[in-house]
Amino acid sequence: MPRLVWTNERGGTTFRIGDRFLKWNPRNTGIDLDAERLRLEWAVQYHSVPRVLGAGADEEAQWLITSALRGSGAVTEAWIGRPLEAARAIGRGLRLLHDALPVAECPFQWAVQARVGHRVATEELRVPPVDKLVVCHGDPCSPNTIIADDGSPAGHVDMGSLGVADRWADLAVASMNLDYNYGAGWEDAFFDAYGIRKDEYRVGYYRFLWDNEDSIGVSSVVTRELGLLGLR
Ligand SMILES: Nc1ncnc2c1ncn2[C@@H]1O[C@H](COP(=O)(O)OP(=O)(O)OP(=O)(O)O)[C@@H](O)[C@H]1O
Ligand SMILES: [Mg+2]
């Protein structure tokens, strides 16, 4: 029997059917499951991500069928009650992903310029100098890390935005998201497990970008906030 396991903010749903997952996404959400399919098929060569078993589309929606990773999402009941272990698994998992995926072979980009829709001149974006280019997950929110029963990271799901970018684009969002899912206080464990010291400036920049990428270059309010942050 299919079991509904997830409903996202835009009306897309995910079902579990035995050892498979079915993602179903209505056409009007602005999300393209074909983009995710292409990225999964590339990333699976190097890292633990779901194997694509099928995909399809009609006038109403697109869908994607993948194999189940063993373990449970980092924001399931089991891990919400063990936030320290969850934060460590998310940090360690992101490090494994960044170390495993080869930048030189990656056909996908997650550059700042593309994220803001090329609405702002490159020099005005004041992108911090790149610390290290890696293949980023692109949506490193806590539920997208799968954790094995022993607390080790088992892999990643939700790869529709994967692409080459500075590693801080992922680190900023993954660390920010811990507060939302587990309450405050787990950030240090996350950065320790990744093996890095928090870079306040890059974290500030990429969190701001994450929260505002759809409106940067469109709204004067956002332009003012960029100024306040000293990012323009
Ligand atoms: N192949 C898989 N193996 C294990 N778990 C999976 C798999 N696919 C999806 N899941 C589970 O279903 C949840 C939803 O999947 P996914 O994150 O891909 O959907 P989404 O709608 O794009 O999410 P979001 O709300 O982050 O946009 C995941 O957090 C994960 O717990
Ligand atoms: Mg997700």
PDB file of all heavy atoms in Angstrom, residues 82-100:
ATOM      1  N   ARG A  82      17.008  13.035  19.150  1.00  0.00           N
ATOM      2  CA  ARG A  82      18.461  12.879  19.337  1.00  0.00           C
ATOM      3  C   ARG A  82      19.193  13.929  18.503  1.00  0.00           C
ATOM      4  O   ARG A  82      19.933  13.599  17.570  1.00  0.00           O
ATOM      5  CB  ARG A  82      18.884  11.469  18.921  1.00  0.00           C
ATOM      6  CG  ARG A  82      18.284  10.412  19.852  1.00  0.00           C
ATOM      7  CD  ARG A  82      18.120   9.084  19.172  1.00  0.00           C
ATOM      8  NE  ARG A  82      19.376   8.344  19.082  1.00  0.00           N
ATOM      9  CZ  ARG A  82      19.489   7.177  18.441  1.00  0.00           C
ATOM     10  NH1 ARG A  82      18.448   6.649  17.817  1.00  0.00           N
ATOM     11  NH2 ARG A  82      20.645   6.554  18.413  1.00  0.00           N
ATOM     12  N   PRO A  83      18.981  15.214  18.845  1.00  0.00           N
ATOM     13  CA  PRO A  83      19.461  16.300  17.983  1.00  0.00           C
ATOM     14  C   PRO A  83      20.987  16.347  17.819  1.00  0.00           C
ATOM     15  O   PRO A  83      21.473  16.709  16.746  1.00  0.00           O
ATOM     16  CB  PRO A  83      18.941  17.573  18.655  1.00  0.00           C
ATOM     17  CG  PRO A  83      18.540  17.168  20.021  1.00  0.00           C
ATOM     18  CD  PRO A  83      18.215  15.724  20.000  1.00  0.00           C
ATOM     19  N   LEU A  84      21.733  15.977  18.880  1.00  0.00           N
ATOM     20  CA  LEU A  84      23.199  16.032  18.757  1.00  0.00           C
ATOM     21  C   LEU A  84      23.672  15.042  17.698  1.00  0.00           C
ATOM     22  O   LEU A  84      24.470  15.379  16.817  1.00  0.00           O
ATOM     23  CB  LEU A  84      23.852  15.736  20.113  1.00  0.00           C
ATOM     24  CG  LEU A  84      25.383  15.700  20.101  1.00  0.00           C
ATOM     25  CD1 LEU A  84      25.951  17.063  19.662  1.00  0.00           C
ATOM     26  CD2 LEU A  84      25.948  15.312  21.473  1.00  0.00           C
ATOM     27  N   GLU A  85      23.152  13.824  17.770  1.00  0.00           N
ATOM     28  CA  GLU A  85      23.546  12.824  16.769  1.00  0.00           C
ATOM     29  C   GLU A  85      23.083  13.217  15.372  1.00  0.00           C
ATOM     30  O   GLU A  85      23.793  13.001  14.383  1.00  0.00           O
ATOM     31  CB  GLU A  85      22.958  11.459  17.144  1.00  0.00           C
ATOM     32  CG  GLU A  85      23.715  10.776  18.254  1.00  0.00           C
ATOM     33  CD  GLU A  85      22.887   9.670  18.874  1.00  0.00           C
ATOM     34  OE1 GLU A  85      22.006   9.995  19.688  1.00  0.00           O
ATOM     35  OE2 GLU A  85      23.119   8.498  18.527  1.00  0.00           O
ATOM     36  N   ALA A  86      21.885  13.802  15.307  1.00  0.00           N
ATOM     37  CA  ALA A  86      21.365  14.221  14.001  1.00  0.00           C
ATOM     38  C   ALA A  86      22.245  15.325  13.403  1.00  0.00           C
ATOM     39  O   ALA A  86      22.632  15.268  12.229  1.00  0.00           O
ATOM     40  CB  ALA A  86      19.919  14.695  14.135  1.00  0.00           C
ATOM     41  N   ALA A  87      22.607  16.321  14.232  1.00  0.00           N
ATOM     42  CA  ALA A  87      23.431  17.432  13.732  1.00  0.00           C
ATOM     43  C   ALA A  87      24.791  16.917  13.258  1.00  0.00           C
ATOM     44  O   ALA A  87      25.320  17.374  12.233  1.00  0.00           O
ATOM     45  CB  ALA A  87      23.606  18.484  14.828  1.00  0.00           C
ATOM     46  N   ARG A  88      25.340  15.965  14.005  1.00  0.00           N
ATOM     47  CA  ARG A  88      26.633  15.387  13.592  1.00  0.00           C
ATOM     48  C   ARG A  88      26.496  14.630  12.273  1.00  0.00           C
ATOM     49  O   ARG A  88      27.366  14.710  11.404  1.00  0.00           O
ATOM     50  CB  ARG A  88      27.151  14.440  14.668  1.00  0.00           C
ATOM     51  CG  ARG A  88      27.732  15.163  15.854  1.00  0.00           C
ATOM     52  CD  ARG A  88      28.252  14.142  16.852  1.00  0.00           C
ATOM     53  NE  ARG A  88      28.836  14.794  18.010  1.00  0.00           N
ATOM     54  CZ  ARG A  88      28.837  14.270  19.238  1.00  0.00           C
ATOM     55  NH1 ARG A  88      28.270  13.088  19.448  1.00  0.00           N
ATOM     56  NH2 ARG A  88      29.396  14.920  20.233  1.00  0.00           N
ATOM     57  N   ALA A  89      25.435  13.859  12.149  1.00  0.00           N
ATOM     58  CA  ALA A  89      25.246  13.087  10.914  1.00  0.00           C
ATOM     59  C   ALA A  89      25.054  14.016   9.719  1.00  0.00           C
ATOM     60  O   ALA A  89      25.554  13.742   8.610  1.00  0.00           O
ATOM     61  CB  ALA A  89      24.039  12.155  11.063  1.00  0.00           C
ATOM     62  N   ILE A  90      24.360  15.122   9.935  1.00  0.00           N
ATOM     63  CA  ILE A  90      24.132  16.062   8.831  1.00  0.00           C
ATOM     64  C   ILE A  90      25.461  16.711   8.416  1.00  0.00           C
ATOM     65  O   ILE A  90      25.772  16.834   7.229  1.00  0.00           O
ATOM     66  CB  ILE A  90      23.071  17.119   9.240  1.00  0.00           C
ATOM     67  CG1 ILE A  90      21.703  16.432   9.404  1.00  0.00           C
ATOM     68  CG2 ILE A  90      22.988  18.239   8.213  1.00  0.00           C
ATOM     69  CD1 ILE A  90      20.658  17.295  10.094  1.00  0.00           C
ATOM     70  N   GLY A  91      26.277  17.097   9.401  1.00  0.00           N
ATOM     71  CA  GLY A  91      27.584  17.701   9.090  1.00  0.00           C
ATOM     72  C   GLY A  91      28.524  16.725   8.408  1.00  0.00           C
ATOM     73  O   GLY A  91      29.136  17.033   7.372  1.00  0.00           O
ATOM     74  N   ARG A  92      28.611  15.552   8.972  1.00  0.00           N
ATOM     75  CA  ARG A  92      29.483  14.515   8.402  1.00  0.00           C
ATOM     76  C   ARG A  92      28.993  14.107   7.000  1.00  0.00           C
ATOM     77  O   ARG A  92      29.780  13.909   6.076  1.00  0.00           O
ATOM     78  CB  ARG A  92      29.477  13.307   9.347  1.00  0.00           C
ATOM     79  CG  ARG A  92      30.285  12.138   8.914  1.00  0.00           C
ATOM     80  CD  ARG A  92      31.772  12.338   9.198  1.00  0.00           C
ATOM     81  NE  ARG A  92      32.552  11.351   8.473  1.00  0.00           N
ATOM     82  CZ  ARG A  92      33.527  11.629   7.610  1.00  0.00           C
ATOM     83  NH1 ARG A  92      33.884  12.876   7.388  1.00  0.00           N
ATOM     84  NH2 ARG A  92      34.165  10.684   6.985  1.00  0.00           N
ATOM     85  N   GLY A  93      27.673  14.015   6.863  1.00  0.00           N
ATOM     86  CA  GLY A  93      27.090  13.632   5.581  1.00  0.00           C
ATOM     87  C   GLY A  93      27.390  14.649   4.490  1.00  0.00           C
ATOM     88  O   GLY A  93      27.731  14.291   3.355  1.00  0.00           O
ATOM     89  N   LEU A  94      27.298  15.928   4.857  1.00  0.00           N
ATOM     90  CA  LEU A  94      27.587  16.974   3.867  1.00  0.00           C
ATOM     91  C   LEU A  94      29.059  16.926   3.457  1.00  0.00           C
ATOM     92  O   LEU A  94      29.399  17.096   2.288  1.00  0.00           O
ATOM     93  CB  LEU A  94      27.219  18.337   4.459  1.00  0.00           C
ATOM     94  CG  LEU A  94      26.952  19.472   3.478  1.00  0.00           C
ATOM     95  CD1 LEU A  94      25.888  19.111   2.453  1.00  0.00           C
ATOM     96  CD2 LEU A  94      26.539  20.734   4.232  1.00  0.00           C
ATOM     97  N   ARG A  95      29.940  16.648   4.437  1.00  0.00           N
ATOM     98  CA  ARG A  95      31.356  16.531   4.110  1.00  0.00           C
ATOM     99  C   ARG A  95      31.610  15.375   3.138  1.00  0.00           C
ATOM    100  O   ARG A  95      32.367  15.509   2.167  1.00  0.00           O
ATOM    101  CB  ARG A  95      32.155  16.318   5.407  1.00  0.00           C
ATOM    102  CG  ARG A  95      33.643  16.238   5.183  1.00  0.00           C
ATOM    103  CD  ARG A  95      34.092  17.541   4.511  1.00  0.00           C
ATOM    104  NE  ARG A  95      35.503  17.592   4.282  1.00  0.00           N
ATOM    105  CZ  ARG A  95      36.321  18.513   4.825  1.00  0.00           C
ATOM    106  NH1 ARG A  95      35.875  19.428   5.640  1.00  0.00           N
ATOM    107  NH2 ARG A  95      37.582  18.521   4.533  1.00  0.00           N
ATOM    108  N   LEU A  96      30.969  14.243   3.396  1.00  0.00           N
ATOM    109  CA  LEU A  96      31.123  13.081   2.504  1.00  0.00           C
ATOM    110  C   LEU A  96      30.665  13.429   1.094  1.00  0.00           C
ATOM    111  O   LEU A  96      31.320  13.082   0.108  1.00  0.00           O
ATOM    112  CB  LEU A  96      30.314  11.887   3.032  1.00  0.00           C
ATOM    113  CG  LEU A  96      30.817  11.230   4.316  1.00  0.00           C
ATOM    114  CD1 LEU A  96      29.819  10.176   4.792  1.00  0.00           C
ATOM    115  CD2 LEU A  96      32.194  10.606   4.101  1.00  0.00           C
ATOM    116  N   LEU A  97      29.534  14.125   1.013  1.00  0.00           N
ATOM    117  CA  LEU A  97      29.006  14.500  -0.304  1.00  0.00           C
ATOM    118  C   LEU A  97      29.976  15.437  -1.032  1.00  0.00           C
ATOM    119  O   LEU A  97      30.320  15.233  -2.200  1.00  0.00           O
ATOM    120  CB  LEU A  97      27.635  15.152  -0.140  1.00  0.00           C
ATOM    121  CG  LEU A  97      26.908  15.591  -1.415  1.00  0.00           C
ATOM    122  CD1 LEU A  97      25.426  15.227  -1.338  1.00  0.00           C
ATOM    123  CD2 LEU A  97      27.023  17.078  -1.659  1.00  0.00           C
ATOM    124  N   HIS A  98      30.464  16.458  -0.314  1.00  0.00           N
ATOM    125  CA  HIS A  98      31.382  17.421  -0.944  1.00  0.00           C
ATOM    126  C   HIS A  98      32.696  16.745  -1.366  1.00  0.00           C
ATOM    127  O   HIS A  98      33.281  17.123  -2.374  1.00  0.00           O
ATOM    128  CB  HIS A  98      31.681  18.574   0.018  1.00  0.00           C
ATOM    129  CG  HIS A  98      30.509  19.502   0.211  1.00  0.00           C
ATOM    130  ND1 HIS A  98      30.496  20.497   1.156  1.00  0.00           N
ATOM    131  CD2 HIS A  98      29.309  19.588  -0.430  1.00  0.00           C
ATOM    132  CE1 HIS A  98      29.352  21.156   1.099  1.00  0.00           C
ATOM    133  NE2 HIS A  98      28.606  20.623   0.149  1.00  0.00           N
ATOM    134  N   ASP A  99      33.140  15.782  -0.580  1.00  0.00           N
ATOM    135  CA  ASP A  99      34.394  15.094  -0.922  1.00  0.00           C
ATOM    136  C   ASP A  99      34.211  14.107  -2.081  1.00  0.00           C
ATOM    137  O   ASP A  99      35.157  13.824  -2.816  1.00  0.00           O
ATOM    138  CB  ASP A  99      34.943  14.329   0.297  1.00  0.00           C
ATOM    139  CG  ASP A  99      35.566  15.266   1.329  1.00  0.00           C
ATOM    140  OD1 ASP A  99      35.747  16.466   1.010  1.00  0.00           O
ATOM    141  OD2 ASP A  99      35.854  14.805   2.455  1.00  0.00           O
ATOM    142  N   ALA A 100      32.995  13.576  -2.218  1.00  0.00           N
ATOM    143  CA  ALA A 100      32.795  12.479  -3.180  1.00  0.00           C
ATOM    144  C   ALA A 100      32.496  12.945  -4.605  1.00  0.00           C
ATOM    145  O   ALA A 100      32.889  12.296  -5.573  1.00  0.00           O
ATOM    146  CB  ALA A 100      31.649  11.585  -2.705  1.00  0.00           C
TER     147      ALA A 100
END
